[in-house]
Amino acid sequence: MAESRRYISKAELENHKKPGDLWIAIHGKIYDVTEWSHDHPGGALPLLNLAGQDATDAFVAFHPGLAWQYLDKFFTGYYLKDYSVSEVSKDYRKLAAEFSKMDLFEKKGHGTCFSLCFIALFFWVSVYGVLCCNSAWVHLCSGGLMGFLWIQSGWMGHDSGHYQVMSSRKFNRFAQILTGNCLAGISIGWWKWNHNAHHIACNSLDFDPDLQHMPLFAVSSKLFNSLTSYFYERKMNFDSVARFLVSYQHWTFYPVMCFARINLFAQSFVLLFSKRKVPNRGQEILGLLVFWTWYPLLVSCLPNWGERVMFVVASFVVTGIQHIQFCLNHFSSSVYVGPPSGNDWFEKQTDGTLDILCSSWMDWFHGGLQFQIEHHLFPRMPRCHLRKISPFVKELCKKHNLRYNSASFWKANAMTIGTLRSAALQARDLSNPIPKNLVWEAVNTHG
């Protein structure tokens, strides 16, 4: 006689969502991933954020078919009572299965080869301009080329963190350290830690680090309540300094983006020298040391301090374009407060992202992230296929009456500035209550 199944309710599953006790449901089966969280390639944070609930759609999004065979060793023997799947999730999983049958997750094209060639070319021309030319204009252009190099290395670092861009894991790791740590000065370990949290909790004000820029920026007045960041594990205080800075954020946005790279440099060092578990910490630190050796040395070869500053500023300003692109995809989209929910994965990902409309010949400029909705739904999908799958995603959104948000690059900039301006005016209103009271009294005075 077959053994009867054991079931637990959703309420009971929700009790297992704290460090040291992490259970998740996938296809109605309950898995204990407590111990696995210490070795999970994506880090412990995604498991912690999705624990205590159904995480099937997130698992489908981030894991190849081979990962399913490893689930059994975490099976608790329990099944989720009254397990059901929404029509949106059914269609999303079918679409993912179809893309897998088409081998789209494995066919990576020649983009990596082209990117490496461009990176090498930009590096050689930039170094040649500094060492072999005396013109200040050439030195300025060399700094700009260095910025373009960082942008392209950023796209490759991003891709290699989501899927294997090289022929083997070892070569993939080499590409990560080379393009991220050595050439750009950004820890790939920090990026994966940050970026995985962003994907799991897309546009959650208290769980998504990509929206946590207090005291400089606030995309929603909800941040005025001094929310706690569950990523940085600190309170995002909306004090008088934050109010002042946020009040002018629509004016300071572009200047800050020009030098946003400084923050990434700092965040990389903060993580690597913290007590957090960082895989291959030695490699990460060595890669940063390589960057902080060759880049200052190259800058020192310029003839005077004026041109050195000019070179650094040019490289920072040009790469600021990429920081703006990151913001355009999310700043003007819907936000929410609270942890991510596995039950509305598709809806949250589409509602919190914005596609950038552009011609195919501009794909190199956006690094594939102009298809941000497609990328968030299928993060393992090589960027060369994102334009191809876009019509399928649009059709799925249309079928279920979900918004498919898209805008031109310039319109997206206007939307982002509009979002920042709206929050800025609300911050001014909070910080300057006296004029409001005077107007109220003048309007309501009798006699």
Side-chain angles (χ1 to χ4, degrees), residues 325 328-329 353-366 368-374 386-387 390-391 394 404-413 415:
Q325 289 172 303
L328 298 185
N329 291 132
T353 53
L354 175 73
D355 274 15
I356 305 299
L357 301 173
C358 72
S359 301
S360 58
W361 67 272
M362 281 294 289
D363 286 354
W364 67 273
F365 176 73
H366 295 282
L369 297 191
Q370 72 274 28
F371 296 106
Q372 188 71 189
I373 296 174
E374 290 76 9
L386 294 178
R387 184 175 291 275
S390 179
K394 288 180 182 178
Y404 182 92
N405 304 308
S406 60
S408 69
F409 180 74
W410 305 111
K411 177 64 175 177
N413 273 270
M415 292 167 64

Short mmCIF file of all heavy atoms in Angstrom, two decimals, residues 325 328-329 353-366 368-374 386-387 390-391 394 404-413 415:
data_model
loop_
_atom_site.label_atom_id
_atom_site.label_comp_id
_atom_site.label_asym_id
_atom_site.label_seq_id
_atom_site.Cartn_x
_atom_site.Cartn_y
_atom_site.Cartn_z
N GLN A 325 21.53 54.43 -16.91
CA GLN A 325 20.76 53.36 -17.54
C GLN A 325 20.17 52.42 -16.49
O GLN A 325 19.02 51.98 -16.60
CB GLN A 325 21.64 52.58 -18.51
CG GLN A 325 21.99 53.35 -19.78
CD GLN A 325 23.02 52.63 -20.62
OE1 GLN A 325 24.11 52.32 -20.16
NE2 GLN A 325 22.69 52.34 -21.87
N LEU A 328 17.12 54.17 -14.98
CA LEU A 328 15.97 54.33 -15.87
C LEU A 328 15.05 53.11 -15.85
O LEU A 328 13.83 53.24 -15.99
CB LEU A 328 16.43 54.56 -17.32
CG LEU A 328 17.27 55.81 -17.61
CD1 LEU A 328 17.53 55.92 -19.11
CD2 LEU A 328 16.60 57.07 -17.09
N ASN A 329 15.63 51.93 -15.66
CA ASN A 329 14.84 50.71 -15.73
C ASN A 329 13.91 50.52 -14.54
O ASN A 329 12.99 49.69 -14.61
CB ASN A 329 15.77 49.49 -15.83
CG ASN A 329 16.51 49.42 -17.15
OD1 ASN A 329 17.72 49.21 -17.18
ND2 ASN A 329 15.80 49.59 -18.25
N THR A 353 9.61 47.04 -13.60
CA THR A 353 10.67 47.27 -14.59
C THR A 353 10.15 48.04 -15.79
O THR A 353 8.95 48.09 -16.06
CB THR A 353 11.26 45.92 -15.08
OG1 THR A 353 10.20 45.08 -15.53
CG2 THR A 353 12.01 45.22 -13.97
N LEU A 354 11.07 48.63 -16.51
CA LEU A 354 10.75 49.44 -17.69
C LEU A 354 11.70 49.09 -18.83
O LEU A 354 12.93 49.14 -18.65
CB LEU A 354 10.86 50.93 -17.35
CG LEU A 354 10.68 51.92 -18.52
CD1 LEU A 354 9.21 51.97 -18.94
CD2 LEU A 354 11.18 53.31 -18.13
N ASP A 355 11.16 48.72 -19.97
CA ASP A 355 11.98 48.48 -21.16
C ASP A 355 12.31 49.80 -21.85
O ASP A 355 11.51 50.75 -21.80
CB ASP A 355 11.24 47.59 -22.15
CG ASP A 355 11.44 46.11 -21.86
OD1 ASP A 355 11.90 45.79 -20.76
OD2 ASP A 355 11.12 45.28 -22.73
N ILE A 356 13.47 49.86 -22.48
CA ILE A 356 13.89 51.03 -23.25
C ILE A 356 13.78 50.69 -24.74
O ILE A 356 14.41 49.75 -25.22
CB ILE A 356 15.33 51.44 -22.92
CG1 ILE A 356 15.50 51.66 -21.41
CG2 ILE A 356 15.71 52.70 -23.70
CD1 ILE A 356 14.63 52.75 -20.83
N LEU A 357 12.95 51.44 -25.45
CA LEU A 357 12.75 51.20 -26.88
C LEU A 357 13.96 51.71 -27.67
O LEU A 357 14.38 52.86 -27.50
CB LEU A 357 11.48 51.90 -27.35
CG LEU A 357 10.18 51.48 -26.66
CD1 LEU A 357 9.03 52.37 -27.11
CD2 LEU A 357 9.86 50.02 -26.95
N CYS A 358 14.50 50.87 -28.52
CA CYS A 358 15.62 51.30 -29.37
C CYS A 358 15.75 50.36 -30.54
O CYS A 358 15.22 49.25 -30.54
CB CYS A 358 16.92 51.34 -28.56
SG CYS A 358 17.59 49.71 -28.15
N SER A 359 16.47 50.80 -31.57
CA SER A 359 16.74 49.97 -32.74
C SER A 359 17.76 48.90 -32.38
O SER A 359 18.54 49.06 -31.43
CB SER A 359 17.26 50.83 -33.89
OG SER A 359 16.31 51.83 -34.25
N SER A 360 17.79 47.84 -33.15
CA SER A 360 18.69 46.72 -32.86
C SER A 360 20.16 47.13 -32.93
O SER A 360 20.99 46.57 -32.22
CB SER A 360 18.43 45.56 -33.83
OG SER A 360 18.58 45.99 -35.17
N TRP A 361 20.47 48.14 -33.75
CA TRP A 361 21.87 48.55 -33.86
C TRP A 361 22.37 49.28 -32.62
O TRP A 361 23.57 49.51 -32.46
CB TRP A 361 22.09 49.41 -35.11
CG TRP A 361 21.41 50.76 -35.08
CD1 TRP A 361 20.15 51.04 -35.47
CD2 TRP A 361 21.98 52.00 -34.62
NE1 TRP A 361 19.87 52.39 -35.29
CE2 TRP A 361 20.99 52.99 -34.77
CE3 TRP A 361 23.23 52.36 -34.10
CZ2 TRP A 361 21.21 54.32 -34.42
CZ3 TRP A 361 23.43 53.69 -33.74
CH2 TRP A 361 22.44 54.65 -33.91
N MET A 362 21.42 49.62 -31.71
CA MET A 362 21.80 50.27 -30.47
C MET A 362 21.88 49.29 -29.29
O MET A 362 22.10 49.70 -28.15
CB MET A 362 20.81 51.38 -30.13
CG MET A 362 21.02 52.66 -30.91
SD MET A 362 22.59 53.47 -30.50
CE MET A 362 22.25 54.06 -28.85
N ASP A 363 21.71 48.01 -29.55
CA ASP A 363 21.73 47.02 -28.48
C ASP A 363 23.07 47.03 -27.73
O ASP A 363 23.12 46.80 -26.52
CB ASP A 363 21.47 45.62 -29.04
CG ASP A 363 20.01 45.41 -29.41
OD1 ASP A 363 19.20 46.31 -29.12
OD2 ASP A 363 19.68 44.36 -29.98
N TRP A 364 24.16 47.29 -28.46
CA TRP A 364 25.48 47.32 -27.82
C TRP A 364 25.54 48.41 -26.75
O TRP A 364 26.22 48.25 -25.72
CB TRP A 364 26.56 47.60 -28.87
CG TRP A 364 26.46 48.99 -29.45
CD1 TRP A 364 25.71 49.38 -30.51
CD2 TRP A 364 27.11 50.17 -28.96
NE1 TRP A 364 25.84 50.73 -30.73
CE2 TRP A 364 26.69 51.25 -29.78
CE3 TRP A 364 27.98 50.44 -27.91
CZ2 TRP A 364 27.12 52.56 -29.59
CZ3 TRP A 364 28.42 51.75 -27.71
CH2 TRP A 364 27.99 52.79 -28.55
N PHE A 365 24.84 49.52 -26.99
CA PHE A 365 24.87 50.66 -26.08
C PHE A 365 24.19 50.33 -24.76
O PHE A 365 24.65 50.73 -23.69
CB PHE A 365 24.19 51.86 -26.74
CG PHE A 365 24.09 53.08 -25.86
CD1 PHE A 365 25.20 53.85 -25.57
CD2 PHE A 365 22.87 53.46 -25.32
CE1 PHE A 365 25.10 54.98 -24.76
CE2 PHE A 365 22.75 54.57 -24.51
CZ PHE A 365 23.88 55.34 -24.23
N HIS A 366 23.09 49.59 -24.84
CA HIS A 366 22.31 49.26 -23.64
C HIS A 366 22.72 47.94 -23.00
O HIS A 366 22.22 47.59 -21.94
CB HIS A 366 20.83 49.23 -23.99
CG HIS A 366 20.27 50.55 -24.41
ND1 HIS A 366 19.95 51.55 -23.52
CD2 HIS A 366 19.97 51.05 -25.64
CE1 HIS A 366 19.48 52.60 -24.18
NE2 HIS A 366 19.49 52.32 -25.46
N GLY A 368 21.92 44.97 -23.61
CA GLY A 368 20.84 44.00 -23.47
C GLY A 368 19.81 44.39 -22.43
O GLY A 368 18.70 43.85 -22.40
N LEU A 369 20.16 45.33 -21.57
CA LEU A 369 19.24 45.69 -20.48
C LEU A 369 18.13 46.63 -20.91
O LEU A 369 17.31 47.03 -20.09
CB LEU A 369 20.03 46.30 -19.32
CG LEU A 369 21.04 45.35 -18.66
CD1 LEU A 369 21.55 45.95 -17.35
CD2 LEU A 369 20.42 44.00 -18.39
N GLN A 370 18.10 46.98 -22.21
CA GLN A 370 16.93 47.71 -22.70
C GLN A 370 15.70 46.81 -22.67
O GLN A 370 14.57 47.28 -22.60
CB GLN A 370 17.17 48.26 -24.11
CG GLN A 370 17.19 47.21 -25.21
CD GLN A 370 18.55 46.60 -25.40
OE1 GLN A 370 19.35 46.51 -24.48
NE2 GLN A 370 18.83 46.16 -26.62
N PHE A 371 15.93 45.49 -22.67
CA PHE A 371 14.86 44.52 -22.47
C PHE A 371 14.85 44.08 -21.01
O PHE A 371 15.07 42.91 -20.68
CB PHE A 371 15.05 43.32 -23.41
CG PHE A 371 14.95 43.68 -24.86
CD1 PHE A 371 16.07 43.74 -25.66
CD2 PHE A 371 13.71 43.97 -25.43
CE1 PHE A 371 15.98 44.08 -27.00
CE2 PHE A 371 13.60 44.31 -26.77
CZ PHE A 371 14.74 44.37 -27.56
N GLN A 372 14.60 45.04 -20.15
CA GLN A 372 14.69 44.81 -18.72
C GLN A 372 13.62 43.85 -18.21
O GLN A 372 13.88 43.02 -17.33
CB GLN A 372 14.59 46.13 -17.96
CG GLN A 372 14.87 46.04 -16.47
CD GLN A 372 16.32 45.80 -16.14
OE1 GLN A 372 16.66 45.55 -15.00
NE2 GLN A 372 17.20 45.89 -17.13
N ILE A 373 12.42 43.93 -18.75
CA ILE A 373 11.35 43.03 -18.33
C ILE A 373 11.72 41.59 -18.68
O ILE A 373 11.62 40.68 -17.84
CB ILE A 373 10.02 43.42 -19.01
CG1 ILE A 373 9.58 44.81 -18.56
CG2 ILE A 373 8.93 42.39 -18.69
CD1 ILE A 373 8.35 45.35 -19.28
N GLU A 374 12.16 41.38 -19.92
CA GLU A 374 12.57 40.05 -20.35
C GLU A 374 13.73 39.54 -19.52
O GLU A 374 13.77 38.35 -19.15
CB GLU A 374 12.96 40.08 -21.83
CG GLU A 374 11.81 40.29 -22.80
CD GLU A 374 11.31 41.74 -22.85
OE1 GLU A 374 11.97 42.64 -22.26
OE2 GLU A 374 10.27 41.98 -23.47
N LEU A 386 17.21 38.30 -26.17
CA LEU A 386 16.17 39.07 -25.48
C LEU A 386 15.22 39.76 -26.47
O LEU A 386 14.01 39.84 -26.23
CB LEU A 386 16.81 40.10 -24.54
CG LEU A 386 17.58 39.51 -23.36
CD1 LEU A 386 18.20 40.62 -22.52
CD2 LEU A 386 16.68 38.64 -22.50
N ARG A 387 15.75 40.27 -27.56
CA ARG A 387 14.87 40.90 -28.56
C ARG A 387 13.95 39.86 -29.20
O ARG A 387 12.80 40.16 -29.53
CB ARG A 387 15.73 41.60 -29.63
CG ARG A 387 14.93 42.37 -30.66
CD ARG A 387 15.83 43.13 -31.61
NE ARG A 387 16.51 44.24 -30.95
CZ ARG A 387 15.98 45.45 -30.78
NH1 ARG A 387 14.75 45.70 -31.22
NH2 ARG A 387 16.67 46.41 -30.18
N SER A 390 11.01 38.97 -26.76
CA SER A 390 10.18 40.10 -26.34
C SER A 390 8.72 39.98 -26.78
O SER A 390 7.81 40.22 -25.98
CB SER A 390 10.78 41.42 -26.84
OG SER A 390 9.99 42.52 -26.46
N PRO A 391 8.42 39.61 -28.04
CA PRO A 391 7.02 39.49 -28.45
C PRO A 391 6.23 38.47 -27.64
O PRO A 391 5.04 38.66 -27.37
CB PRO A 391 7.12 39.08 -29.92
CG PRO A 391 8.46 39.56 -30.36
CD PRO A 391 9.34 39.41 -29.17
N LYS A 394 5.38 40.12 -24.31
CA LYS A 394 4.30 41.10 -24.53
C LYS A 394 2.95 40.41 -24.65
O LYS A 394 1.95 40.86 -24.07
CB LYS A 394 4.58 41.91 -25.79
CG LYS A 394 5.72 42.90 -25.69
CD LYS A 394 5.89 43.64 -27.02
CE LYS A 394 7.06 44.61 -26.95
NZ LYS A 394 7.27 45.30 -28.26
N TYR A 404 2.89 46.16 -19.76
CA TYR A 404 4.23 45.95 -20.31
C TYR A 404 4.80 47.35 -20.51
O TYR A 404 4.47 48.05 -21.47
CB TYR A 404 4.15 45.19 -21.63
CG TYR A 404 5.49 44.89 -22.26
CD1 TYR A 404 6.15 43.70 -22.00
CD2 TYR A 404 6.10 45.81 -23.11
CE1 TYR A 404 7.38 43.42 -22.58
CE2 TYR A 404 7.32 45.54 -23.69
CZ TYR A 404 7.96 44.34 -23.43
OH TYR A 404 9.18 44.08 -24.00
N ASN A 405 5.61 47.78 -19.57
CA ASN A 405 6.09 49.17 -19.54
C ASN A 405 7.30 49.35 -20.45
O ASN A 405 8.29 48.63 -20.33
CB ASN A 405 6.48 49.57 -18.11
CG ASN A 405 5.33 49.36 -17.13
OD1 ASN A 405 4.22 49.83 -17.36
ND2 ASN A 405 5.59 48.64 -16.04
N SER A 406 7.20 50.33 -21.35
CA SER A 406 8.32 50.62 -22.24
C SER A 406 8.29 52.09 -22.62
O SER A 406 7.23 52.72 -22.65
CB SER A 406 8.27 49.75 -23.50
OG SER A 406 7.08 49.97 -24.21
N ALA A 407 9.46 52.63 -22.91
CA ALA A 407 9.58 54.04 -23.30
C ALA A 407 10.91 54.23 -24.01
O ALA A 407 11.84 53.43 -23.86
CB ALA A 407 9.50 54.95 -22.09
N SER A 408 11.00 55.29 -24.80
CA SER A 408 12.27 55.62 -25.44
C SER A 408 13.28 56.04 -24.37
O SER A 408 12.92 56.34 -23.23
CB SER A 408 12.08 56.75 -26.45
OG SER A 408 11.79 57.97 -25.77
N PHE A 409 14.54 56.07 -24.77
CA PHE A 409 15.60 56.47 -23.83
C PHE A 409 15.33 57.85 -23.26
O PHE A 409 15.47 58.08 -22.05
CB PHE A 409 16.95 56.42 -24.55
CG PHE A 409 18.12 56.81 -23.68
CD1 PHE A 409 18.60 55.95 -22.71
CD2 PHE A 409 18.73 58.05 -23.84
CE1 PHE A 409 19.68 56.31 -21.91
CE2 PHE A 409 19.81 58.41 -23.05
CZ PHE A 409 20.29 57.54 -22.08
N TRP A 410 14.93 58.79 -24.12
CA TRP A 410 14.71 60.16 -23.67
C TRP A 410 13.45 60.25 -22.82
O TRP A 410 13.42 60.98 -21.83
CB TRP A 410 14.62 61.10 -24.87
CG TRP A 410 15.83 60.98 -25.76
CD1 TRP A 410 15.89 60.47 -27.02
CD2 TRP A 410 17.19 61.33 -25.40
NE1 TRP A 410 17.18 60.49 -27.49
CE2 TRP A 410 18.00 61.01 -26.52
CE3 TRP A 410 17.78 61.88 -24.26
CZ2 TRP A 410 19.38 61.23 -26.52
CZ3 TRP A 410 19.16 62.09 -24.26
CH2 TRP A 410 19.93 61.76 -25.39
N LYS A 411 12.40 59.52 -23.21
CA LYS A 411 11.18 59.50 -22.42
C LYS A 411 11.44 58.88 -21.04
O LYS A 411 10.92 59.36 -20.02
CB LYS A 411 10.10 58.71 -23.15
CG LYS A 411 8.79 58.55 -22.39
CD LYS A 411 8.09 59.87 -22.15
CE LYS A 411 6.73 59.66 -21.49
NZ LYS A 411 6.07 60.95 -21.18
N ALA A 412 12.25 57.83 -21.00
CA ALA A 412 12.58 57.19 -19.73
C ALA A 412 13.33 58.16 -18.81
O ALA A 412 13.12 58.16 -17.59
CB ALA A 412 13.40 55.93 -19.98
N ASN A 413 14.22 58.97 -19.40
CA ASN A 413 14.90 59.99 -18.60
C ASN A 413 13.91 60.98 -18.02
O ASN A 413 13.99 61.34 -16.83
CB ASN A 413 15.93 60.73 -19.47
CG ASN A 413 17.27 60.06 -19.49
OD1 ASN A 413 18.15 60.33 -18.68
ND2 ASN A 413 17.45 59.14 -20.44
N MET A 415 10.74 60.47 -17.43
CA MET A 415 9.95 59.78 -16.41
C MET A 415 10.70 59.67 -15.10
O MET A 415 10.14 59.85 -14.02
CB MET A 415 9.55 58.40 -16.92
CG MET A 415 8.57 58.41 -18.08
SD MET A 415 8.41 56.80 -18.91
CE MET A 415 7.73 55.81 -17.57
#
